[in-house]
Amino acid sequence: MKYLITGGAGYIGSHTVLELLNAGHECVVVDSLINSFDESLKRVETLTGKQVEFHQVDLLDKPALEAVFAKHTFDAVVHFAALKAVGESVAKPLTYYHNNITGTLVLCEVMKAAGCKNIVFSSSATVYGDPATVPITEDFPTGATNPYGRTKLFMEDILVDLHTADADWNVVLLRYFNPVGAHASGQIGEHPQGIPNNLTPYITQTAIGLREKLSVFGGDWPTPDGTGVRDYIHVVDLALGHLAALKKLTERPGVKIYNLGTGKGFSVLDMIKAFEKAIGKPVAYQIVDRRVGDVASVYATTDLAREELGWVATRGIDEMCEDAWRWQSMNPKGFEN
Ligand code: UFG
């Protein structure tokens, strides 16, 4: 099969391209590189021994995207390209709405004109907002708490509305929980811009000496050890979830929504302990006030993905931390080495 991967040079995108190539598929990547590096794709080519056609295209540039579709007939699109920093989205809502939502509208228009109506969309557990209970099933009420999350919800709605208007559209919405880790080779991984917002890059950057110490946001949450609980999922498991979703699209399923998580919740202190084991030395941290907008506990039920996609996450937190540390220690400056 031939797939277009938007945002394919990014963290989850590059791991997905690698697994698609290994499975014998052809990948064309469009990526603006505003928050990613084409070096990731060069490394994917080395790791797989296969070629990726790359175009530095922003989805807001419709003629450039049309030119890519004029050259190829795609079986489906995997749509990762989006801005993703929660805090930045609060400060720059217009940038987030314009980039994420208009980018998706342009993509859908170009897909429609080209007769490609199959899409896997990179959504997020953030669309569940502050869930009333855990674990979270796909039918939980949605409601985002920041502009980033609202763009994910709007993009989901746009794709569902497309299917309502034209049943030829097949849409799989994948709601990711907390992606962590890296490819086992240590050659590709997460390269956050500036000071990391997310827990695991902050831990690995602290361990390598780029940051002084980790701030643990809140020790008084209603969780077993008082720190926030999340469903951390290895990025390679997540990538493989996309292959399962693309296979599902061949059944012409209409609209499907799946949580991609492990179904297990781990606290911030659990993650620190797992990293200390992987790294072989203590991680400096202090417990500080809660971060505004955080919630106590978020983890998935994974039954639907297992039953309908035949997909389960198999990698545990030790492997996540070992792989994240291998990537960080082999590439202290990420792709900028
Ligand atoms: N945390 C810290 N210190 C840090 C960073 C995070 O203690 O320096 C804690 C948070 O309070 C939370 C946990 O670690 O309890 C995970 O925080 P992350 O920022 O890594 O992840 P979030 O769960 O807040 O958010 C992530 C993504 C979002 C996505 C969401 C889906 O950043 O894009 O998961 O649930 F929408």
Side-chain angles (χ1 to χ4, degrees):
M1 297 277 200
K2 191 194 274 191
Y3 299 123
L4 177 71
I5 318 294
T6 78
Y11 174 42
I12 305 171
S14 58
H15 286 81
T16 301
V17 170
L18 185 151
E19 297 302 333
L20 284 167
L21 294 174
N22 277 341
H25 301 293
E26 212 178 315
C27 293
V28 176
V29 168
V30 291
D31 196 303
S32 67
L33 300 182
I34 57 173
N35 196 20
S36 58
F37 297 83
D38 57 353
E39 172 67 17
S40 65
L41 295 174
K42 294 183 185 135
R43 295 192 184 183
V44 164
E45 288 184 328
T46 306
L47 287 165
T48 59
K50 295 180 179 169
Q51 304 268 296
V52 184
E53 185 177 312
F54 172 64
H55 299 270
Q56 186 174 353
V57 167
D58 192 309
L59 295 184
L60 297 172
D61 184 351
K62 192 173 184 185
L65 192 61
E66 283 169 338
V68 176
F69 274 83
K71 219 177 137 191
H72 298 280
T73 301
F74 297 114
D75 292 293
V77 173
V78 188
H79 179 28
F80 293 103
L83 298 175
K84 60 171 187 178
V86 173
E88 186 186 52
S89 80
V90 175
K92 300 179 183 170
L94 295 180
T95 304
Y96 270 68
Y97 288 122
H98 185 56
N99 185 83
N100 291 3
I101 296 175
T102 311
T104 299
L105 292 175
V106 170
L107 173 67
C108 291
E109 283 163 6
V110 175
M111 286 176 68
K112 186 177 164 196
C116 173
K117 297 181 179 177
N118 295 315
I119 185 165
V120 172
F121 175 62
S122 174
S123 189
S124 168
T126 200
V127 302
Y128 297 116
D130 187 357
T133 56
V134 280
I136 298 169
T137 52
E138 286 83 350
D139 57 1
F140 266 38
T142 53
T145 56
N146 55 68
Y148 158 74
R150 274 188 280 281
T151 68
K152 288 286 171 187
L153 266 183
F154 281 130
M155 291 186 279
E156 285 197 355
D157 287 346
I158 288 164
L159 296 172
V160 173
D161 287 343
L162 265 179
H163 169 80
T164 305
D166 174 358
D168 282 347
W169 280 87
N170 295 291
V171 175
V172 179
L173 308 177
L174 298 178
R175 292 177 176 163
Y176 313 151
F177 283 68
N178 288 58
V180 300
H183 189 258
S185 63
Q187 291 297 314
I188 57 169
E190 187 174 14
H191 179 129
Q193 302 274 23
I195 300 172
N197 296 305
N198 295 116
L199 179 66
T200 67
Y202 208 103
I203 292 178
T204 57
Q205 290 197 4
T206 303
I208 205 132
L210 290 172
R211 314 273 157 217
E212 193 193 334
K213 67 169 89 133
L214 170 74
S215 295
V216 174
F217 298 136
D220 57 354
W221 292 100
T223 60
D225 67 17
T227 64
V229 167
R230 295 290 183 276
D231 186 337
Y232 296 95
I233 174 168
H234 196 296
V235 66
V236 173
D237 279 325
L238 194 56
L240 292 169
H242 293 75
L243 272 69
L246 286 164
K247 192 161 161 242
K248 188 79 191 171
L249 278 181
T250 63
E251 297 169 15
R252 309 190 51 73
V255 175
K256 292 284 178 180
I257 304 176
Y258 300 105
N259 287 340
L260 295 187
T262 64
K264 296 186 192 86
F266 289 99
S267 72
V268 177
L269 296 182
D270 290 334
M271 293 304 281
I272 293 173
K273 272 188 220 122
F275 267 107
E276 287 177 336
K277 197 166 125 195
I279 296 166
K281 65 173 189 187
V283 172
Y285 74 89
Q286 64 177 352
I287 296 182
V288 300
D289 288 346
R290 293 180 178 188
R291 179 170 67 178
V292 176
D294 268 353
V295 301
S297 193
V298 179
Y299 54 95
T301 39
T302 56
D303 300 352
L304 202 61
R306 189 182 60 246
E307 286 159 17
E308 295 193 6
L309 298 179
W311 172 90
V312 281
T314 59
R315 292 161 180 83
I317 61 165
D318 288 339
E319 196 170 345
M320 296 176 204
C321 297
E322 283 159 18
D323 290 341
W325 179 241
R326 187 177 306 108
W327 156 251
Q328 178 74 72
S329 46
M330 285 171 65
N331 307 272
K333 292 182 182 164
F335 292 112
E336 279 173 329
N337 282 341

